[in-house]
Amino acid sequence: MTEGPAEPTLRLVLKNDSFELGRLRTAFDDFADRHRIPDQARFHLQLCLEEMVLNVITYGFDDDAEHEIHVDFEVRIDSRTVIVNILDDGRRFDPLTEVPQPELDAELEGRPVGGLGVHFVRQFMDEASYRHERGKNRLTLTKNVGP
Amino acid sequence: MELSGERDGDVLVLTPEGRIDGSNSADFQSAVMERIDEGSESILLDFAGISYISSAGLRAVLILAKKLNQVSGRFALCSMQKSVQSVFEVSGFVKIIDVHPGREDALAAMR
C-alpha cells in the first residue's frame, strides 16, 4: 500500500488550559512536516498560533468551566497558503481591533510588555480576520508559505 | 531550562537552549536574575541555541534588561537565529537592547 498525499486539513480540539499548548505544538509540527512548510513561515505560524490560543485561554472566559477551543488548519496546495481558524465560545472579543498597538518606540524603562502577540499577527501573517458567528469568536490567520 | 554559563573577563556569558515561551519564561528569568543577584553586572545572553521565543520570552528579556539598567550593569544578546531575530526586530527590541551578530562582537563591545 502506498501512502497518499498528506491530508490538507487538520482539526484539533483543545481545552482552555495552557498545558494544551504542548499538544498544539506537536500537532502543528507534524502538520508542518507533512506539508514541508519552510522554516521561517513555520516559525511565524507557530508563534502567532500559540500567542492567539494562549490569549483565548488566559483572557477569553469569564467562568471557571471547561471550554473547547477548536483549531482548524488547512493548506491550499495550489496557492501554497496555510489558513488557520481558531474558534472559541468565550467572551466576544476581536483582538485585531480591541488590542491597542504596542508602544514600539518607548525607551527601555518605560517600555510596556503587553500587546505583542497581536502585533506579531499583524507583522507576520499575510491576512488576519475576525468574525463573531453563532455565539463564537472566529479568528482566521492566513500565511503564504512559498513556492 | 538548560542555562550554562562561563566568564569572559567581567562578562558572564549565558547560553540558554531550546525554547523560551509561556511554559518556561519564568524559570529562564529567575535563573538569570539569580546570577544578577549573586553580583554579575555584565551579562551576555548567547542565543545560538534558542530556536523559538514567544512574547512571554521577550517579556522576560525586557525585565532582565531593565534590572541590569537599574543597577548600572551591562546587558547584551548575540548569535540569534534568523527567526528569533525577526521577533526582536518587529517588537522594536533591537532599538532598546544591544544585539550583536556574534559572541566576539558582543564581548568586544562590552569590554
Side-chain angles (χ1 to χ4, degrees):
Chain A
M1 212 166 91
T2 54
E3 205 178 313
E7 275 292 315
T9 59
L10 170 71
R11 315 197 77 171
L12 200 61
V13 181
L14 305 171
K15 296 190 185 81
N16 54 324
D17 182 322
S18 59
F19 281 105
E20 292 280 80
L21 287 180
R23 210 153 64 80
L24 173 65
R25 186 191 316 154
T26 309
F28 176 70
D29 267 343
D30 181 51
F31 182 78
D33 279 345
R34 281 187 284 122
H35 292 284
R36 297 185 179 83
I37 296 171
D39 287 351
Q40 185 93 341
R42 178 189 184 122
F43 180 101
H44 289 146
L45 270 164
Q46 193 185 34
L47 177 67
C48 293
L49 192 55
E50 289 195 13
E51 298 280 350
M52 293 302 98
V53 170
L54 188 58
N55 276 358
V56 171
I57 292 171
T58 312
Y59 306 112
F61 304 100
D62 294 324
D63 56 28
D64 294 325
E66 190 174 292
H67 293 265
E68 283 185 352
I69 300 164
H70 290 246
V71 185
D72 296 343
F73 303 90
E74 180 189 340
V75 171
R76 300 247 164 104
I77 306 288
D78 295 343
S79 54
R80 290 297 287 160
T81 300
V82 174
I83 299 163
V84 185
N85 277 288
I86 303 167
L87 286 112
D88 70 81
D89 64 352
R91 186 159 29 89
R92 181 172 184 158
F93 184 74
D94 175 1
L96 301 175
T97 59
E98 295 179 56
V99 175
Q101 282 274 5
E103 287 176 51
L104 299 176
D105 293 321
E107 294 295 320
L108 178 63
E109 282 307 317
R111 184 65 205 263
V113 289
L116 281 175
V118 176
H119 180 64
F120 295 155
V121 168
R122 293 191 188 105
Q123 294 293 315
F124 293 133
M125 296 294 104
D126 290 295
E127 281 173 50
S129 63
Y130 168 86
R131 266 187 303 164
H132 192 258
E133 58 180 26
R134 279 171 286 183
K136 288 190 174 175
N137 296 300
R138 174 192 284 270
L139 183 66
T140 305
L141 309 178
T142 305
K143 176 79 178 164
N144 300 327
V145 293
Chain B
M1 95 169 305
E2 283 294 316
L3 188 62
S4 51
E6 57 182 277
R7 284 208 165 272
D8 188 297
D10 289 342
V11 182
L12 177 64
V13 185
L14 298 173
T15 49
E17 298 274 332
R19 303 167 51 97
I20 308 178
D21 60 19
S23 72
N24 67 355
S25 63
D27 292 344
F28 163 72
Q29 186 184 317
S30 59
V32 180
M33 206 59 99
E34 225 168 78
R35 307 297 187 100
I36 299 172
D37 292 340
E38 286 164 8
S40 295
E41 290 182 350
S42 284
I43 289 182
L44 172 62
L45 295 179
D46 185 327
F47 263 23
I50 293 295
S51 56
Y52 181 89
I53 191 162
S54 73
S55 64
L58 286 184
R59 187 172 306 130
V61 169
L62 186 67
I63 288 166
L64 294 167
K66 284 183 180 178
K67 172 75 180 177
L68 279 167
N69 197 37
Q70 283 157 10
V71 299
S72 303
R74 282 174 298 170
F75 181 69
L77 291 160
C78 71
S79 314
M80 278 192 243
Q81 296 179 19
K82 193 175 154 201
S83 300
V84 171
Q85 172 108 16
S86 72
V87 175
F88 276 81
E89 279 166 6
V90 306
S91 308
F93 274 41
V94 291
K95 286 184 274 183
I96 49 175
I97 293 170
D98 288 329
V99 176
H100 302 276
R103 188 188 286 206
E104 287 312 311
D105 310 294
L107 288 170
M110 292 175 84
R111 271 182 203 120

